[in-house]
């Protein structure tokens, strides 16, 4: 009886099939009166039952008719459900033809041609990338060479300036001694010799620092008792600090020396040169009554050393290039000490940097890997 009612309801709707649905029985009373195949179709489409059940349940819950379209390449399936009673929903479905086989074949051919064109375009693009890569490498090499030449030119100009100043002083003193009256010549000659000796020492320091920069640093790490080693660095500069009226202090994190004992930390000779350079700079920029501090602490897997002073600080224009060769803010300085500091720290796998948070004076931080 129920199936006959469904059959009659769908008889005028060509291509529609449908039936009833309840939560207990599922799909039943199926009918497809306009089925154009052989025989009578009396079994609901199994592939669609899950979607039919979901829509029918939603219809019973909301009490509203629903429609849904599931698109496909060759055909689209159109579902429809409506409430028949509180527990029964009616459902229908029909299939709408999509793209004809001929059109689908044309589309397949067109997509294949498009994919082939994309492959060819990709190959051409890869070829262009290779050419551009080689050109970029050539330009990078040219740029690097230009940068090296610019650096060399800057270094040469700085060296010429640093060498010309002592030579100018020597020449002036010698000229004055030679032009002096006989009675003053001996005194002026003695003064000229003393000045010459000082300027020659300055040139020797400059040459030694330059040679150090041209040679690769190969750290020879050795066990270091950090407290004793740092105190030795302080004592080496204690007399100079006393003459300037500057306090030279040591600040070591409690327990750090015991933790570092008998551990290969760094090359003690190379790092001694670094600390000596920094202490000399700090003392040169600190006036009487000031203080210079040599410190050490551990931060995670890093050993941090620092030299800090409460002197005049670093002028703003020098901050960005402070560790570059021949950059100095001190009268008579060579501008190579901090460059050596940077190279030695980098050879140890660490780094040296200016503490930008220091409000008074200067603080240079050095970071070394903790072994």
């Amino acid at each position: 009886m129920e199936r006959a009612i469904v059959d009659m309801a769908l008889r005028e709707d060509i291509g529609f099939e449908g039936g009833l649905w309840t939560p207990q029985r599922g799909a039943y009373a199926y009918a497809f009166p306009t089925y154009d195949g052989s025989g009578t179709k009396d079994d609901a489409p199994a592939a669609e039952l899950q979607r039919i059940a979901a829509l029918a349940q939603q219809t019973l819950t909301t009490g509203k008719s629903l429609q849904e379209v599931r698109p496909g390449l060759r055909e689209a399936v159109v579902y429809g459900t409506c409430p028949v009673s509180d527990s029964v929903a009616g459902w229908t479905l029909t299939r709408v033809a999509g793209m004809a086989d001929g059109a689908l074949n044309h589309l397949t051919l067109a997509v294949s041609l498009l994919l082939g064109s994309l492959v060819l375009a990709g190959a051409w693009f890869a070829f262009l990338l290779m050419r551009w890569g080689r050109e970029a490498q050539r330009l990078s090499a040219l740029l690097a060479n230009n940068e090296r030449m610019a650096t060399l030119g800057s270094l040469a100009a700085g060296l010429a300036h640093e060498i010309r100043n002592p030579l100018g002083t020597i020449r002036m003193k010698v000229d004055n001694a030679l032009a002096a009256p006989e009675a003053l010549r001996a005194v002026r000659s003695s003064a000229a010799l003393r000045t010459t000796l000082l300027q020659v020492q300055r040139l020797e320091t400059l040459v030694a620092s330059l040679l150090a920069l041209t040679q690769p640093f190969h750290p020879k790490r050795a066990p270091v008792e950090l407290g004793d080693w740092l105190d030795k660095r302080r004592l080496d500069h204690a007399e100079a600090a006393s003459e300037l009226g500057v306090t030279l202090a040591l600040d070591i994190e409690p327990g750090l020396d015991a933790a570092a004992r008998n551990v290969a930390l760094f090359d003690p000779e190379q790092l001694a040169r670094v600390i000596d350079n920094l202490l000399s700079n700090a003392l040169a920029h600190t006036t009487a009554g000031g203080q210079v501090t040599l410190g050490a602490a551990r931060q995670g897997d890093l050993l941090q050393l620092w030299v800090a002073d409460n002197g005049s600080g670093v002028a703003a224009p020098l901050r960005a290039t402070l560790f570059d060769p021949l950059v100095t803010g001190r009268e008579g300085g060579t501008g190579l000490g901090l460059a050596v500091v940077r190279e030695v720290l980098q050879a140890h796998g660490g780094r040296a940097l200016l503490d930008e948070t220091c409000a008074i004076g200067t603080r240079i931080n050095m970071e070394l890997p903790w072994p």
Side-chain angles (χ1 to χ4, degrees), residues 217-267:
F217 292 97
H218 299 293
K220 297 179 181 179
R221 292 175 173 82
V224 175
E225 294 184 3
L226 195 58
D228 293 341
W229 183 82
L230 289 172
D231 192 50
K232 176 65 166 57
R233 307 278 72 73
R234 182 185 66 82
L235 291 175
D236 286 346
H237 295 265
E239 184 177 350
S242 178
E243 292 176 355
L244 294 170
V246 174
T247 301
L248 186 54
L250 195 61
D251 181 15
I252 303 178
E253 181 182 37
L256 179 65
D257 185 36
R261 197 178 301 276
N262 298 325
V263 176
L265 291 173
F266 47 74
D267 185 321

Side-chain angles (χ1 to χ4, degrees), residues 230-231 233-234 237 241 246-253 275 278-283 286 290-297 304-311 358 360-366:
L230 289 172
D231 192 50
R233 307 278 72 73
R234 182 185 66 82
H237 295 265
V246 174
T247 301
L248 186 54
L250 195 61
D251 181 15
I252 303 178
E253 181 182 37
I275 298 298
L278 294 177
L279 287 176
S280 296
N281 282 348
L283 290 172
T286 306
Q291 178 170 309
V292 174
T293 303
L294 172 60
Q304 185 179 73
L305 305 173
W306 69 87
V307 173
D309 65 69
N310 57 0
C358 187
I360 300 176
T362 305
R363 172 168 166 150
I364 302 295
N365 291 328
M366 295 158 284

Side-chain angles (χ1 to χ4, degrees), residues 50-73:
Q50 184 176 1
R51 190 67 226 144
I52 291 169
L55 287 174
Q57 181 63 60
Q58 191 174 353
T59 289
L60 292 180
T61 302
T62 62
K64 297 179 179 179
S65 299
L66 298 174
Q67 284 188 343
E68 183 177 292
V69 178
R70 186 188 69 190
L73 185 61

Side-chain angles (χ1 to χ4, degrees), residues 25-85:
R25 299 179 62 182
Y28 68 99
Y30 171 77
F32 192 173
T34 59
Y35 178 65
D36 58 1
S38 59
T40 301
K41 189 173 188 308
D42 56 5
D43 55 330
E48 314 299 341
L49 290 179
Q50 184 176 1
R51 190 67 226 144
I52 291 169
L55 287 174
Q57 181 63 60
Q58 191 174 353
T59 289
L60 292 180
T61 302
T62 62
K64 297 179 179 179
S65 299
L66 298 174
Q67 284 188 343
E68 183 177 292
V69 178
R70 186 188 69 190
L73 185 61
R74 296 182 180 275
E75 63 181 11
V77 181
V78 181
Y79 304 89
T81 58
C82 63
V84 176
S85 67

